[in-house]
mmCIF file of all heavy atoms in Angstrom:
data_model
loop_
_atom_site.group_PDB
_atom_site.id
_atom_site.type_symbol
_atom_site.label_atom_id
_atom_site.label_comp_id
_atom_site.label_asym_id
_atom_site.label_seq_id
_atom_site.Cartn_x
_atom_site.Cartn_y
_atom_site.Cartn_z
ATOM 1 N N MET A 249 22.927 48.511 93.660
ATOM 2 C CA MET A 249 22.105 48.292 94.872
ATOM 3 C C MET A 249 22.049 46.795 95.169
ATOM 4 O O MET A 249 21.733 45.986 94.299
ATOM 5 C CB MET A 249 20.696 48.841 94.662
ATOM 6 C CG MET A 249 19.797 48.648 95.854
ATOM 7 S SD MET A 249 18.164 49.361 95.564
ATOM 8 C CE MET A 249 17.395 48.937 97.104
ATOM 9 N N VAL A 250 22.339 46.395 96.329
ATOM 10 C CA VAL A 250 22.354 44.978 96.710
ATOM 11 C C VAL A 250 20.967 44.563 97.109
ATOM 12 O O VAL A 250 20.315 45.236 97.889
ATOM 13 C CB VAL A 250 23.345 44.735 97.865
ATOM 14 C CG1 VAL A 250 23.317 43.283 98.272
ATOM 15 C CG2 VAL A 250 24.745 45.142 97.430
ATOM 16 N N ARG A 251 20.486 43.438 96.580
ATOM 17 C CA ARG A 251 19.162 42.920 96.888
ATOM 18 C C ARG A 251 19.269 41.469 97.330
ATOM 19 O O ARG A 251 20.200 40.754 96.945
ATOM 20 C CB ARG A 251 18.230 43.004 95.681
ATOM 21 C CG ARG A 251 17.997 44.438 95.209
ATOM 22 C CD ARG A 251 17.159 44.422 93.973
ATOM 23 N NE ARG A 251 16.945 45.781 93.483
ATOM 24 C CZ ARG A 251 16.370 46.075 92.331
ATOM 25 N NH1 ARG A 251 15.938 45.098 91.543
ATOM 26 N NH2 ARG A 251 16.221 47.320 91.948
ATOM 27 N N PHE A 252 18.261 41.009 98.055
ATOM 28 C CA PHE A 252 18.189 39.632 98.513
ATOM 29 C C PHE A 252 16.979 38.987 97.862
ATOM 30 O O PHE A 252 15.879 39.544 97.904
ATOM 31 C CB PHE A 252 18.058 39.569 100.039
ATOM 32 C CG PHE A 252 19.275 40.096 100.741
ATOM 33 C CD1 PHE A 252 19.350 41.425 101.089
ATOM 34 C CD2 PHE A 252 20.349 39.284 101.028
ATOM 35 C CE1 PHE A 252 20.452 41.934 101.722
ATOM 36 C CE2 PHE A 252 21.455 39.781 101.670
ATOM 37 C CZ PHE A 252 21.513 41.101 102.025
ATOM 38 N N HIS A 253 17.184 37.841 97.224
ATOM 39 C CA HIS A 253 16.112 37.130 96.543
ATOM 40 C C HIS A 253 16.042 35.706 97.064
ATOM 41 O O HIS A 253 17.035 35.160 97.576
ATOM 42 C CB HIS A 253 16.335 37.107 95.032
ATOM 43 C CG HIS A 253 16.352 38.478 94.423
ATOM 44 N ND1 HIS A 253 15.214 39.205 94.191
ATOM 45 C CD2 HIS A 253 17.400 39.256 94.039
ATOM 46 C CE1 HIS A 253 15.540 40.373 93.671
ATOM 47 N NE2 HIS A 253 16.865 40.424 93.569
ATOM 48 N N ASN A 254 14.897 35.121 96.918
ATOM 49 C CA ASN A 254 14.673 33.731 97.324
ATOM 50 C C ASN A 254 14.493 32.860 96.091
ATOM 51 O O ASN A 254 13.792 33.247 95.145
ATOM 52 C CB ASN A 254 13.423 33.612 98.195
ATOM 53 C CG ASN A 254 13.600 34.386 99.485
ATOM 54 O OD1 ASN A 254 14.721 34.569 99.933
ATOM 55 N ND2 ASN A 254 12.495 34.817 100.066
ATOM 56 N N ILE A 255 15.132 31.701 96.070
ATOM 57 C CA ILE A 255 14.983 30.724 94.984
ATOM 58 C C ILE A 255 14.511 29.422 95.599
ATOM 59 O O ILE A 255 15.108 28.942 96.561
ATOM 60 C CB ILE A 255 16.312 30.495 94.222
ATOM 61 C CG1 ILE A 255 16.696 31.779 93.485
ATOM 62 C CG2 ILE A 255 16.175 29.342 93.254
ATOM 63 C CD1 ILE A 255 17.961 31.657 92.704
ATOM 64 N N GLN A 256 13.437 28.874 95.052
ATOM 65 C CA GLN A 256 12.894 27.610 95.539
ATOM 66 C C GLN A 256 13.548 26.459 94.776
ATOM 67 O O GLN A 256 13.578 26.454 93.551
ATOM 68 C CB GLN A 256 11.375 27.560 95.340
ATOM 69 C CG GLN A 256 10.708 26.367 95.976
ATOM 70 C CD GLN A 256 10.632 26.507 97.481
ATOM 71 O OE1 GLN A 256 10.729 27.592 97.984
ATOM 72 N NE2 GLN A 256 10.473 25.407 98.185
ATOM 73 N N VAL A 257 14.110 25.501 95.501
ATOM 74 C CA VAL A 257 14.727 24.329 94.874
ATOM 75 C C VAL A 257 13.635 23.333 94.529
ATOM 76 O O VAL A 257 13.026 22.758 95.428
ATOM 77 C CB VAL A 257 15.768 23.695 95.817
ATOM 78 C CG1 VAL A 257 16.403 22.494 95.173
ATOM 79 C CG2 VAL A 257 16.814 24.732 96.202
ATOM 80 N N PRO A 258 13.301 23.137 93.272
ATOM 81 C CA PRO A 258 12.169 22.265 92.909
ATOM 82 C C PRO A 258 12.581 20.821 92.729
ATOM 83 O O PRO A 258 13.762 20.482 92.701
ATOM 84 C CB PRO A 258 11.704 22.868 91.586
ATOM 85 C CG PRO A 258 12.970 23.341 90.960
ATOM 86 C CD PRO A 258 13.889 23.767 92.057
ATOM 87 N N ARG A 259 11.565 20.002 92.636
ATOM 88 C CA ARG A 259 11.776 18.628 92.175
ATOM 89 C C ARG A 259 11.528 18.634 90.663
ATOM 90 O O ARG A 259 10.464 19.021 90.217
ATOM 91 C CB ARG A 259 10.826 17.667 92.874
ATOM 92 C CG ARG A 259 11.091 17.544 94.374
ATOM 93 C CD ARG A 259 10.156 16.541 95.002
ATOM 94 N NE ARG A 259 10.399 16.428 96.430
ATOM 95 C CZ ARG A 259 11.292 15.627 96.972
ATOM 96 N NH1 ARG A 259 12.026 14.862 96.186
ATOM 97 N NH2 ARG A 259 11.463 15.568 98.271
ATOM 98 N N VAL A 260 12.510 18.192 89.863
ATOM 99 C CA VAL A 260 12.484 18.336 88.402
ATOM 100 C C VAL A 260 12.187 16.999 87.747
ATOM 101 O O VAL A 260 12.721 15.972 88.131
ATOM 102 C CB VAL A 260 13.830 18.896 87.892
ATOM 103 C CG1 VAL A 260 13.779 19.104 86.397
ATOM 104 C CG2 VAL A 260 14.153 20.179 88.608
ATOM 105 N N THR A 261 11.290 17.013 86.739
ATOM 106 C CA THR A 261 11.015 15.818 85.919
ATOM 107 C C THR A 261 11.866 15.905 84.652
ATOM 108 O O THR A 261 11.687 16.802 83.826
ATOM 109 C CB THR A 261 9.531 15.758 85.534
ATOM 110 O OG1 THR A 261 8.767 15.759 86.730
ATOM 111 C CG2 THR A 261 9.230 14.523 84.719
ATOM 112 N N THR A 262 12.829 15.006 84.531
ATOM 113 C CA THR A 262 13.746 15.046 83.382
ATOM 114 C C THR A 262 13.094 14.433 82.169
ATOM 115 O O THR A 262 12.194 13.604 82.255
ATOM 116 C CB THR A 262 15.035 14.287 83.706
ATOM 117 O OG1 THR A 262 14.704 12.928 83.906
ATOM 118 C CG2 THR A 262 15.692 14.847 84.963
ATOM 119 N N SER A 263 13.579 14.878 80.992
ATOM 120 C CA SER A 263 13.048 14.354 79.730
ATOM 121 C C SER A 263 13.679 13.035 79.330
ATOM 122 O O SER A 263 13.201 12.357 78.448
ATOM 123 C CB SER A 263 13.268 15.399 78.619
ATOM 124 O OG SER A 263 14.650 15.685 78.511
ATOM 125 N N ARG A 264 14.802 12.678 79.973
ATOM 126 C CA ARG A 264 15.473 11.437 79.593
ATOM 127 C C ARG A 264 14.803 10.213 80.185
ATOM 128 O O ARG A 264 14.609 9.213 79.524
ATOM 129 C CB ARG A 264 16.940 11.488 80.038
ATOM 130 C CG ARG A 264 17.772 12.524 79.242
ATOM 131 C CD ARG A 264 19.203 12.578 79.758
ATOM 132 N NE ARG A 264 19.219 13.104 81.132
ATOM 133 C CZ ARG A 264 20.338 13.235 81.833
ATOM 134 N NH1 ARG A 264 21.495 12.856 81.325
ATOM 135 N NH2 ARG A 264 20.289 13.712 83.043
ATOM 136 N N CYS A 265 14.453 10.263 81.461
ATOM 137 C CA CYS A 265 13.879 9.084 82.105
ATOM 138 C C CYS A 265 12.409 9.241 82.418
ATOM 139 O O CYS A 265 11.736 8.267 82.756
ATOM 140 C CB CYS A 265 14.650 8.728 83.371
ATOM 141 S SG CYS A 265 14.644 10.064 84.579
ATOM 142 N N GLY A 266 11.903 10.473 82.339
ATOM 143 C CA GLY A 266 10.486 10.671 82.621
ATOM 144 C C GLY A 266 10.118 10.522 84.065
ATOM 145 O O GLY A 266 8.935 10.417 84.376
ATOM 146 N N SER A 267 11.080 10.459 84.928
ATOM 147 C CA SER A 267 10.793 10.295 86.349
ATOM 148 C C SER A 267 11.239 11.545 87.100
ATOM 149 O O SER A 267 12.066 12.320 86.620
ATOM 150 C CB SER A 267 11.504 9.062 86.924
ATOM 151 O OG SER A 267 12.899 9.206 86.758
ATOM 152 N N THR A 268 10.693 11.669 88.282
ATOM 153 C CA THR A 268 11.058 12.808 89.123
ATOM 154 C C THR A 268 12.335 12.483 89.869
ATOM 155 O O THR A 268 12.445 11.445 90.531
ATOM 156 C CB THR A 268 9.947 13.087 90.133
ATOM 157 O OG1 THR A 268 8.744 13.377 89.416
ATOM 158 C CG2 THR A 268 10.299 14.286 91.001
ATOM 159 N N CYS A 269 13.311 13.362 89.751
ATOM 160 C CA CYS A 269 14.587 13.135 90.430
ATOM 161 C C CYS A 269 15.073 14.448 90.994
ATOM 162 O O CYS A 269 14.738 15.518 90.494
ATOM 163 C CB CYS A 269 15.617 12.537 89.482
ATOM 164 S SG CYS A 269 15.875 13.507 87.985
ATOM 165 N N SER A 270 15.844 14.354 92.003
ATOM 166 C CA SER A 270 16.367 15.538 92.690
ATOM 167 C C SER A 270 17.830 15.330 92.985
ATOM 168 O O SER A 270 18.285 14.195 93.174
ATOM 169 C CB SER A 270 15.618 15.791 93.997
ATOM 170 O OG SER A 270 14.250 15.984 93.740
#
Side-chain angles (χ1 to χ4, degrees):
M249 180 178 179
V250 178
R251 298 176 181 172
F252 295 91
H253 298 283
N254 297 333
I255 294 181
Q256 187 74 20
V257 180
R259 294 182 180 273
V260 183
T261 302
T262 64
S263 58
R264 291 178 294 179
C265 60
S267 60
T268 300
C269 55
S270 301

